[in-house]
Amino acid sequence: MKEESKEFTPNILYALCSWCGSGGSETAGAMKLHYPENVKPVRFYCTGGIDPVYIFRALLEGADGVVVSGCHPGDCHFDTGNYRARRRIAAVKTILNTLGLDGDRVWLRWVGHGEGKRFVDTASEFDEHIQEKGPSPLKGIRGV
Amino acid sequence: MERIYEIQMGIEELARRALETGTVGGVAALLEVPETNKIAFTLVRAPEDVKGLAPFSPWMLENAARSISQMTREAAFTQPVAVILRPCELRALRELVKLKQVNMTNLILISFDCPGVFPIGSRLNGNGDLPAAYEKAVLEGTNCPGIRQVCSACEEFVPRGADMVISLVGRSPTDTLRAAFPTEAGQKFAEALGLLAEGREVEAGEERDRLAGIRADEHNALSARIQGSLKDLDGLVSVFDRCISCHACRYVCPVCYCKDCFFESPAFSYYPHSLHKRLEQSAAGLRLPLDRLLFHLGRLTHMGASCVACGMCEDVCVAGIPVSQIFKTVGGDIQQMFDYLPGGSPDDPLPLLTYREDELKEMED
Amino acid sequence: MKIAKKIPGRNREALRGLLESMVEKGAAESLFAAAANKRGDSFSYFLMKRGSLPDTLEPLPPIMSRSAAGMLTYLTRKGPLPGKTLVVLRPCELRAVTELRKLNQIHADNLVTVSFDCPGVFPLKDFFKGKAAVLIEQHEKALSDGTLAGARNVCAICAEFTGEGADIELGFLGVPEGECWAVANTEAGAQCLGLVEGEDVGDLSSRDEAVQAAKERRAVERKQRLLAFQQEVGGPENIAKVLENCLNCHNCMRVCPICFCQECYFESSAFRAEADRFLARAGRKKGLSMPADTLLFHLGRMSHMSVSCVSCGACEDACPADVPVSLFFSLVGRSTQGIFDYVPGRDVSEPVPYLHYEREEFQEMEAPYLEKRGQD
């Protein structure tokens, strides 16, 4: 379980596709595995449907980090949506890094339907990763 | 005679107190963001965030009626929010109410007699001596050199329909605030903040009258100038000659609220063979995109009756076309014909949404 | 075999002569090129027909009022032009046309493209403030030198300034005074160029060398300028600073040739919300500057179109607030194009990165999973 006395509890968005990503979270539930409560899952039909703007918008409006999970390559419910997602996330990270906005606040990791442990591990690991980084400066920029 | 109250605090303090006491749940006004040089119409919720509030600063980066429309079009505020607007913004807001683009519920309208604003361009080139000259002009009730052309010719610089009206012309920035509370909502607001202690009945200062006189003369001069340049088709084509058809003027216009503008609709997306037909009929070739003049003329008919002459269109025109002066002049003619003042009485229906059976006979042949 | 001909006349005179003579000889039924507007102190693109080319024809204007690629989208989105049309494009416009063909916004059948060694153009606002005749003369000189003092930000660091992708390419650099060289790069170009008189250019090497040297110099300048700009804008505070004057008017998007969407996401109902939600945001953000979502708009637009950004500078010309939009997008485009090893406008058969994928790529963008922890 998480420590109670943490100074900073990050606000984390976990974008999951409806098939494998969400499936992983369901398996985790069936296995009674826990993940940090500050990690908030959001379901998308397919990771290929995640427009980069959604990620930017989350980061600007209050998320300290965004992690995306969908089907492993080759397993996409729509055949190729995850490949498209990977290209878009590559672009998101590149844009953030180019502008000194820290692309490492965005993670992509595939999680299969049966991978409950991988799902909670990813949530916890990303939570710790963002805790180390501290609050995202992006959400605090005034005037833009 | 309206009763004017002396208020022993600045506008920032007033906003802070309104938020602290819970009289309002939010304040929206021009604000200078402390970390950058940004000035923007800003919605503030927390008392400590009012720092930098500058509703009288001589810039207008957008007509705030647009933003209030964006905020309230879907659903109104559920608690009172005070908005500080220039008179032209307030007029645009009141037009947008008629057009069902603004929900006024819970808005407390604060305005002031407006000395005008500088074009956005002069802000980009460094402000220089502008603030000092501006203060002097406000104190004396004259037009500060360099303000927008439509501002210097604006006769509607005293707000109508505001809940709180602050006197600015004839005052110095270091003077105490003076304000009237002409409406019931305004009275309640003032009472809640304890602003009604020191009041007296006063006449508008002579500075305001002086400015009104100057503005009337400037207005005549501007109309004559624009009518001169537009006197025939040749003039019209020349005035809009540099237009790059970017439609920025429409986009920043507070009255142009349409989500899908006719001039960007499929009506103007031509088939290549129809373009070629037009090409065959034209002597000098087709200037692209087509319909440049139609756009401006069409926009005049769509929103000319409601044009509040705020000047945003001209400020964003990279081709330097005197758009707002043209719209003020031609729109003014339309408004005069219908005896209509945009943003005036809420009871006056929009001219193009009403009619009388016995009118405008002189327009018939 | 490449056809290359000597075209007599000073730069803009030569190009005008070449176009007129090609059209006259039946190379095309119509001509798409810039011409002076009524008052003569500004320029637009015109579609003109054979037999009545206007005297105002000015295929090398010193400004770019709008991107020609956007105008070609306007003309051909619904289908190809019915007759053969000669199209004069700046190199950046030509690249944008290639991108728009991939995006199914331009039907290029019947188009024969003509491009040239472009020295860049003046910022629109500077030109409108200045003396047209003087600036046009400066621009004419720059056509031979390849360097235009006072050019727009992106023009000054443009390393792709030749018309090599066009059917017909006009060379001004490294060419003897008083003539220019027209080179047909394709069969379609050769057919048109074959119709006009002109001595063959035997040896193209003087131009090749001049172009090569200028390209190398520009490439270095581009890299340096963009890296310096990156230092300037990097980090949250600096970005807020760069965008402090932005009015969020979206005019950059509206004139961008690549931003072809009829309904822009940033003008969609995704940005509508109840008043109380705006108030909640205002609390969270310590004051909500309106119109809101300025940074989101720019970041989002970068994610949508920077892979195809051709650095044409139309955005910055149309910005009423002098935001260095074109540098901003060139900088980010350099990175996003870099990861996909993509050069917008290079080749029409090269797919747009977002419409394509490889099964094995970008593994480095995935967060590696090391199964290290036990169950909590």
Side-chain angles (χ1 to χ4, degrees), chain B residues 270-280 286, chain C residues 28-30 47 75-86 107-111:
Chain B
Y270 298 106
Y271 282 96
H273 56 80
S274 85
L275 283 163
H276 248 241
K277 203 161 252 168
R278 288 172 79 152
L279 178 61
E280 278 161 28
L286 304 176
Chain C
E29 279 174 39
S30 43
L47 189 59
L75 290 176
T76 69
R77 185 162 34 204
K78 289 185 164 180
L81 286 171
K84 209 168 173 195
T85 308
L86 270 182
H107 287 85
D109 326 14
N110 284 338
L111 302 185

Side-chain angles (χ1 to χ4, degrees), chain B residues 25-27 33 35-46 49 61-62 66-68 70-81 101 120-121 123-125 233-235 237-248 250-252 259-260 264 266 268-273 275-276 279-291 312 315-320, chain C residues 29-30 32 37-49 52-54 65-66 71 74-85 124-125 127-130 237 240-241 243-251 254-255 262-263 266-269 271-276 278-294 316-322:
Chain B
V27 171
V33 180
E35 295 88 352
T36 60
N37 288 323
K38 175 140 186 148
I39 293 187
F41 186 74
T42 306
L43 178 64
V44 174
R45 189 182 194 178
D49 296 336
L61 289 314
E62 70 149 353
R66 272 192 83 223
S67 283
I68 298 175
Q70 196 198 346
M71 288 192 257
T72 65
R73 190 168 40 201
E74 300 295 305
F77 288 107
T78 56
Q79 52 187 321
V81 169
Q101 299 302 311
I120 293 167
R123 181 173 157 70
L124 304 173
N125 305 330
L233 183 63
D234 198 55
V237 176
S238 294
V239 165
F240 288 108
D241 199 41
R242 284 178 169 177
C243 174
I244 63 167
S245 298
C246 67
H247 297 188
R250 169 195 82 80
Y251 194 80
V252 298
K259 194 180 160 298
D260 290 306
E264 280 154 29
F268 296 93
S269 171
Y270 298 106
Y271 282 96
H273 56 80
L275 283 163
H276 248 241
L279 178 61
E280 278 161 28
Q281 289 158 358
S282 82
L286 304 176
R287 176 172 166 181
L288 304 171
L290 302 171
D291 310 305
M312 280 310 300
D315 260 25
V316 299
C317 180
V318 290
Chain C
E29 279 174 39
S30 43
F32 170 96
N37 294 330
K38 184 178 183 302
R39 272 163 34 186
D41 58 0
S42 63
F43 307 89
S44 297
Y45 283 99
F46 284 73
L47 189 59
M48 296 158 279
K49 64 181 171 186
S52 60
L53 296 186
S65 310
R66 289 291 292 269
M71 292 304 108
Y74 173 79
L75 290 176
T76 69
R77 185 162 34 204
K78 289 185 164 180
L81 286 171
K84 209 168 173 195
T85 308
L124 210 52
K125 279 162 274 186
F127 182 79
F128 285 157
K129 275 183 215 138
E237 297 83 15
K241 201 94 187 92
L243 294 178
E244 69 184 12
N245 291 324
C246 176
L247 306 172
N248 212 350
C249 71
H250 296 188
N251 215 29
R254 226 162 292 115
V255 299
Q262 307 255 333
E263 306 265 355
F266 297 100
E267 286 167 12
S268 75
S269 50
F271 293 86
R272 292 191 163 199
E274 298 80 0
D276 287 354
F278 281 94
L279 203 51
R281 278 178 84 188
R284 227 171 36 227
K285 297 180 93 70
K286 302 188 190 312
L288 185 64
S289 297
M290 299 295 292
D293 302 300
T294 308
E316 199 164 314
D317 260 354
C319 177
D322 294 352

Side-chain angles (χ1 to χ4, degrees), chain B residues 23-231:
Chain B
T23 311
V24 296
V27 171
L30 213 54
L31 184 140
E32 291 175 12
V33 180
E35 295 88 352
T36 60
N37 288 323
K38 175 140 186 148
I39 293 187
F41 186 74
T42 306
L43 178 64
V44 174
R45 189 182 194 178
E48 63 270 21
D49 296 336
V50 300
K51 194 168 176 302
L53 205 73
F56 312 128
S57 96
W59 308 104
M60 188 164 129
L61 289 314
E62 70 149 353
N63 186 308
R66 272 192 83 223
S67 283
I68 298 175
S69 167
Q70 196 198 346
M71 288 192 257
T72 65
R73 190 168 40 201
E74 300 295 305
F77 288 107
T78 56
Q79 52 187 321
V81 169
V83 294
I84 312 180
L85 301 171
R86 296 184 181 280
C88 57
E89 294 175 320
L90 184 58
R91 273 180 284 131
L93 193 71
R94 283 152 67 91
E95 280 303 282
L96 289 170
V97 171
K98 295 182 193 177
L99 293 160
K100 300 185 170 53
Q101 299 302 311
V102 162
N103 192 327
M104 288 274 222
T105 310
N106 278 321
L107 291 184
I108 296 167
L109 307 171
I110 303 175
S111 191
F112 51 91
D113 40 10
C114 174
V117 299
F118 295 111
I120 293 167
S122 51
R123 181 173 157 70
L124 304 173
N125 305 330
N127 300 346
D129 301 330
L130 291 180
Y134 190 77
E135 275 174 25
K136 185 163 173 282
V138 174
L139 188 64
E140 291 171 356
T142 55
N143 272 335
C144 179
I147 59 172
R148 286 178 180 172
Q149 296 280 356
V150 283
C151 289
S152 66
C154 174
E155 294 186 76
E156 282 292 327
F157 65 96
V158 180
R160 295 168 191 254
D163 299 310
M164 174 176 179
V165 180
I166 298 169
S167 299
L168 202 61
V169 174
R171 317 275 298 160
S172 133
T174 50
D175 290 349
T176 54
L177 282 184
R178 278 190 187 175
F181 302 91
T183 67
E184 206 177 306
Q187 286 283 331
K188 262 176 69 184
F189 177 71
E191 233 164 78
L193 290 175
L195 303 178
L196 298 181
E198 220 184 304
R200 59 193 165 99
E201 285 183 5
V202 288
E203 286 179 44
E206 59 176 21
E207 295 87 357
R208 200 197 261 188
D209 295 338
R210 180 182 306 136
L211 187 58
I214 294 171
R215 293 279 173 92
D217 293 344
E218 284 287 329
H219 188 183
N220 287 337
L222 183 146
S223 299
R225 207 166 58 234
I226 295 296
Q227 277 158 358
S229 66
L230 291 177
K231 62 183 182 302

Side-chain angles (χ1 to χ4, degrees), chain A residues 86-97:
Chain A
R86 189 165 58 189
R87 284 206 159 202
R88 288 183 187 158
I89 286 170
V92 167
K93 287 166 87 77
T94 304
I95 292 170
L96 290 173
N97 285 335

